[in-house]
Amino acid sequence: RKEVEQDPGPFNVPEGATVAFNCTYSNSASQSFFWYRQDCRKEPKLLMSVYSSGNEDGRFTAQLNRASQYISLLIRDSKLSDSATYLCVVNMDSGAGSYQLTFGKGTKLSVIP
Amino acid sequence: ETGVTQTPRHLVMGMTNKKSLKCEQHLGHNAMYWYKQSAKKPLELMFVYSLEERVENNSVPSRFSPECPNSSHLFLHLHTLQPEDSALYLCASSQDIGPQPYGYTFGSGTRLTVV
């Protein structure tokens, strides 16, 4: 089983649409969770951390369900500039005394005019 | 300069060449990382350094050799690479190697092509 799984997409949505991405992770001892955004041929950039209580940043809402080992990202009122690949990222204990970020393959979003 | 800086941005090298990638972070972080990103694959962690000491080496071939002279600088020395090593190599830093809530900061990467 892959450690972090995401639907690769692509998701093609019109401007103004609401789109949701899902992610599951395999390690129940994971401590921290994030969504990163990566534009074409650029580095990943932190979009937001994810907390069990849910958190919102403008049009973006992230949710964590520890019992189901499931993470979600909701984007409301999609903009053209939201087009990117969204990476689900989990900070896991590597078993060697350190934690490391484990990345999903990413979900590609294209917002269409 | 701020953040994490990587040089060069692009590199083309032959299989018999020796080259080095450089990373510098200006964030006062204690941990630095090398990641490899190949097409249609998730980011793969290669090396982890904490306070200049290597704490993890994820079964990376010996043709990749990291060096961390201080907590602000990280190098990746390359020699006798293979065409399948062509990828985007990303450097990242974080405050430490614990279960922190703040994620990592990435450099802009070096796009490596091995010919």
Side-chain angles (χ1 to χ4, degrees), chain A residues 31-34 36 38 41-46 49 51 87 91 94-105, chain B residues 33 35 37 40-43 45 48 55-56 58 88 90 97-109 111:
Chain A
Q31 296 287 326
S32 307
F33 308 88
F34 310 92
Y36 273 72
Q38 187 171 23
R41 304 184 76 81
K42 296 283 185 72
E43 75 275 22
K45 291 186 177 177
L46 180 64
S49 300
Y51 306 108
L87 305 170
N91 199 359
S94 65
S98 70
Y99 285 75
Q100 58 180 259
L101 290 190
T102 301
F103 287 77
K105 286 188 178 181
Chain B
Y33 312 82
Y35 278 87
Q37 188 173 34
K40 299 185 179 179
K41 287 187 177 180
L43 272 78
L45 180 64
V48 180
V55 295
E56 285 211 43
N58 283 5
L88 179 67
L90 290 157
I97 57 174
Q100 60 198 290
Y102 302 117
Y104 298 176
T105 301
F106 283 87
S108 52
R111 188 159 296 279

Side-chain angles (χ1 to χ4, degrees), chain B residues 8-101:
Chain B
R9 293 294 300 273
H10 301 274
L11 178 62
V12 179
M13 59 186 288
M15 289 190 285
T16 58
N17 290 161
K18 287 185 180 182
K19 296 286 184 183
S20 295
L21 309 185
K22 179 182 175 182
C23 177
E24 183 174 0
Q25 58 97 0
H26 309 271
L27 300 167
H29 288 168
N30 294 320
M32 295 185 77
Y33 312 82
W34 280 116
Y35 278 87
K36 175 184 178 181
Q37 188 173 34
S38 304
K40 299 185 179 179
K41 287 187 177 180
L43 272 78
E44 302 169 60
L45 180 64
M46 299 176 73
F47 300 104
V48 180
Y49 277 82
S50 176
L51 297 172
E52 302 130 53
E53 287 195 19
R54 190 191 305 181
V55 295
E56 285 211 43
N57 171 359
N58 283 5
S59 302
V60 179
S62 59
R63 57 186 184 270
F64 295 91
S65 174
E67 179 190 359
C68 188
N70 56 62
S71 59
S72 298
H73 293 86
L74 186 64
F75 295 89
L76 188 62
H77 304 298
L78 316 171
H79 66 98
T80 59
L81 295 192
Q82 305 298 311
E84 60 265 28
D85 296 323
S86 299
L88 179 67
Y89 288 85
L90 290 157
C91 175
S93 72
S94 66
Q95 188 60 52
D96 54 43
I97 57 174
Q100 60 198 290

